[in-house]
Amino acid sequence: MSLFGKIFGSPDDEKSDSKIGWKQLNNLGQLSEIIEESDNIPVIVFKHSTRCSVSRMALRHFENEFDLDGKVTPYFLDLLNYRDVSNEIANKFEVQHQSPQLLLIRNGKCIYDASHNAIEVESLHRYL
């Protein structure tokens, strides 16, 4: 690993030690699956910029607080590599694009979204 990688970590490091069983969101077709899936169990989508230290801190904070195993299906979007998916999320769920951003999808609709320091697991409990 490079010196930069040792200091700042790599995108794969950000998920590898996570206790969250993230599903990778990496194609537009998955958005239809998420909408359908959200009829049975709420879905969260964490939109993450792998080049942003604020996004990295928000992700780590969220993962450390996470206590919703089995209550939601978690999806992870590397928005730098899949910007088209990020743009379609903003369009389809009628939310302004943010990074980092957390969306809660239930019954095909975004019922909650937060960005930056407002991303907290505790806030999701009110909607579940």
Side-chain angles (χ1 to χ4, degrees), residues 31-100:
L31 296 180
S32 296
E33 295 170 19
I34 286 172
I35 289 170
E36 188 176 316
E37 188 172 0
S38 74
D39 288 340
N40 299 318
I41 185 170
V43 172
I44 58 170
V45 175
F46 195 103
K47 292 173 47 182
H48 175 60
S49 170
T50 55
R51 289 189 213 142
C52 175
S53 62
V54 172
S55 188
R56 188 176 305 107
M57 287 179 7
L59 175 62
R60 287 186 179 149
H61 178 74
F62 181 79
E63 289 181 326
N64 287 336
E65 288 185 335
F66 189 80
D67 63 353
L68 300 173
D69 196 34
K71 296 178 183 175
V72 298
T73 301
Y75 282 83
F76 182 90
L77 174 65
D78 174 347
L79 65 89
L80 295 179
N81 286 321
Y82 303 102
R83 186 58 183 235
D84 60 332
V85 178
S86 179
N87 290 340
E88 185 59 21
I89 286 171
N91 181 51
K92 189 173 288 281
F93 295 112
E94 300 177 349
V95 296
Q96 182 179 7
H97 165 75
Q98 298 283 330
S99 171

